[in-house]
Amino acid sequence: MFKIAVIPGDGTGPEVVAEGLKVLKAVSEKFDFNYQLIHYELGGEHYLKTGEILPDSVLEALKKMDVIYLGAIGHPEVKPGILEKGILLRTRFELDQYINLRPVRLYPGVDTPLKDKGPEDIDFVVIRENTEGAYLGAGGVHKKGTPDEVAIQEAIHTRKGVERCLRYAFEYCRKRNKKKKVTLCGKTNVLTYAFDLWERTFKEVAKEFDDIETDYAHVDAICMWMVKNPEWFDVIVTDNMFGDIITDLGAMIQGGLGIAAGGNINPKGVSMFEPMGGSAPKYTGQGVVSPLAAIGACQMMLDHLGQAEAAKAIESAIMKVVKNDVKNLSAGKMGYRTSQVGDLVVKYIQNS
Ligand code: IPM
Ligand code: MN
């Protein structure tokens, strides 16, 4: 029995999570596993109503779950930073979800702005360090609001944090068994302390994996190549800030936020899976956003829970939906309601 915490969150989060849960129910019946859902009301709406961000009691409860299924956190009426740091980053940090795993794969039928590239060219994974770097928030501000204001925000990279992320990337690459290549994305020409640590550790860890080819690219160059030559990549590993940026680019080339999913992973603890898009306040409650990213997050979650067959069935169903039915994944342009897309995925699972 899996204990799954569900945090639908804000905006379109609840709508897309509902579809993910619909799919979860369908695969659990077909592949015969049990789970228990524990819902938590967290997010901007809840914060505005109660003043509560992430109560310690909830955090403690989350630590006892098998996984967390998250919709979206973010509210137009809450100052930026409060919910992001208070809920999302706090969960990642306190649960030590040190890997942010973001597959970038173009399914046949999905429209990509890279017109000349096809599904065989766009299939890689970004492994983003998820608990350190600039996100640690070290620093402060001096003489705020005056002409002499100074703001310092330092990035912190530890040998331990870097090494465990790199090792995860190599192991993931070996397991994935595709091009067998890990590319380190950094900025060794400018961030000479931080990425020297990354590069040295990368070379050391690589020695344990002689079946895997290694490569290095600066983050700015990677942005160009992800668009121009995405077929070069298999596994890209990088720090928190660069990973945040390049995975938004990755989401676009795989067809957009309607399909991009990710996981916040603690390989030995409680991991959290989410669609990559935000709360999309503009579309909230209209039933017009794609649930496929949230359903893809459900697929990653089941894979993580050891339900490989159920996960595969979800992925095949998603691939059928984008090939046969939903030709445009943009909000409001799908030609289907959010719940109808969820129903299609369920139908393909049941008929497979
Ligand atoms: C993401 C998001 C978060 C991040 C924000 C909401 C704090 O952009 O998951 O990539 O920067 O990590
Ligand atoms: Mn981001």
Side-chain angles (χ1 to χ4, degrees):
M1 168 86 93
F2 301 125
K3 279 173 77 181
I4 305 179
V6 181
I7 307 174
D10 296 313
T12 50
E15 303 162 45
V16 295
V17 160
E19 300 312 307
L21 295 178
K22 200 192 260 175
V23 170
L24 178 64
K25 182 162 173 286
V27 280
S28 74
E29 283 160 6
K30 191 168 171 111
F31 295 94
D32 207 26
F33 62 85
N34 293 316
Y35 61 92
Q36 179 194 358
L37 299 178
I38 303 103
H39 277 82
Y40 291 96
E41 275 223 37
L42 295 173
E45 213 50 69
H46 182 73
Y47 170 65
L48 291 173
K49 244 190 282 159
T50 64
E52 226 170 50
I53 300 178
L54 174 59
D56 292 344
S57 59
V58 173
L59 191 63
E60 287 316 306
L62 291 178
K63 288 182 184 166
K64 299 199 180 80
M65 299 290 151
D66 289 304
V67 278
I68 304 167
Y69 189 45
L70 172 68
I73 300 286
H75 198 288
E77 281 148 47
V78 181
K79 194 172 144 226
I82 295 184
L83 305 168
E84 292 86 341
K85 286 187 175 172
I87 302 175
L88 194 56
L89 301 188
R90 184 152 178 243
T91 305
R92 289 177 182 174
F93 284 24
E94 296 245 8
L95 273 58
D96 204 20
Q97 295 165 337
Y98 63 88
I99 296 296
N100 197 313
L101 181 66
R102 294 189 167 169
V104 180
R105 179 171 179 198
L106 181 68
Y107 291 140
V110 176
D111 202 29
T112 169
L114 287 80
K115 285 285 183 257
D116 297 334
K117 303 288 176 184
E120 65 290 354
D121 302 308
I122 301 177
D123 183 3
F124 61 92
V125 176
V126 179
I127 288 170
R128 157 184 174 191
E129 201 293 320
N130 210 28
T131 53
E132 304 193 334
Y135 280 66
L136 258 185
V141 60
H142 186 52
K143 299 191 180 174
K144 187 167 180 171
T146 74
D148 297 323
E149 178 165 347
V150 181
I152 298 174
Q153 195 131 30
E154 284 178 314
I156 293 175
H157 303 255
T158 68
R159 166 75 200 208
K160 203 172 129 196
V162 169
E163 186 174 331
R164 67 181 182 174
C165 175
L166 290 168
R167 186 161 280 113
Y168 184 91
F170 278 95
E171 276 162 7
Y172 191 90
C173 182
R174 184 178 271 168
K175 211 170 113 209
R176 179 174 147 84
N177 201 17
K178 290 205 169 162
K179 293 193 194 85
K180 293 227 166 169
K181 174 174 165 189
V182 179
T183 306
L184 174 65
C185 163
K187 191 74 187 170
T188 50
N189 53 349
V190 175
L191 303 179
T192 47
Y193 307 124
F195 283 96
D196 178 56
L197 172 62
W198 275 86
E199 199 174 34
R200 269 184 292 117
T201 315
F202 182 69
K203 286 182 181 152
E204 270 176 51
V205 174
K207 285 190 198 132
E208 298 164 31
F209 298 85
D210 51 16
D211 51 325
I212 291 169
E213 188 195 336
T214 59
D215 197 7
Y216 170 83
H218 295 319
V219 61
D220 44 355
I222 277 232
C223 288
M224 296 195 297
W225 291 329
M226 275 171 70
V227 174
K228 190 161 171 281
N229 297 98
E231 68 279 3
W232 287 352
F233 301 112
D234 179 18
V235 170
I236 299 176
V237 61
T238 191
D239 90 325
N240 208 343
M241 187 82 254
F242 292 165
D244 179 45
I245 297 165
I246 69 169
T247 54
D248 266 20
L249 178 56
M252 283 306 120
I253 72 174
Q254 75 179 121
L257 295 178
I259 190 119
N264 301 273
I265 295 178
N266 176 337
K268 296 202 180 97
V270 184
S271 300
M272 174 165 77
F273 298 84
E274 53 176 336
M276 263 189 62
S279 52
K282 216 163 76 186
Y283 300 111
T284 301
Q286 297 178 25
V288 297
V289 299
S290 161
L292 293 179
I295 295 171
C298 178
Q299 169 207 329
M300 292 178 74
M301 176 170 85
L302 288 172
D303 208 26
H304 176 84
L305 288 170
Q307 296 291 322
E309 272 192 85
K312 269 219 153 56
I314 297 180
E315 183 170 45
S316 311
I318 292 175
M319 288 175 73
K320 285 181 188 149
V321 170
V322 293
K323 190 151 179 260
N324 305 334
D325 309 291
V326 185
K327 291 290 157 204
N328 189 330
L329 294 169
S330 304
K333 304 213 172 100
M334 289 193 296
Y336 293 85
R337 314 269 313 151
T338 306
S339 63
Q340 289 176 314
V341 179
D343 291 342
L344 283 168
V345 174
V346 169
K347 183 190 85 185
Y348 285 125
I349 289 169
Q350 286 167 346
N351 296 344
S352 68

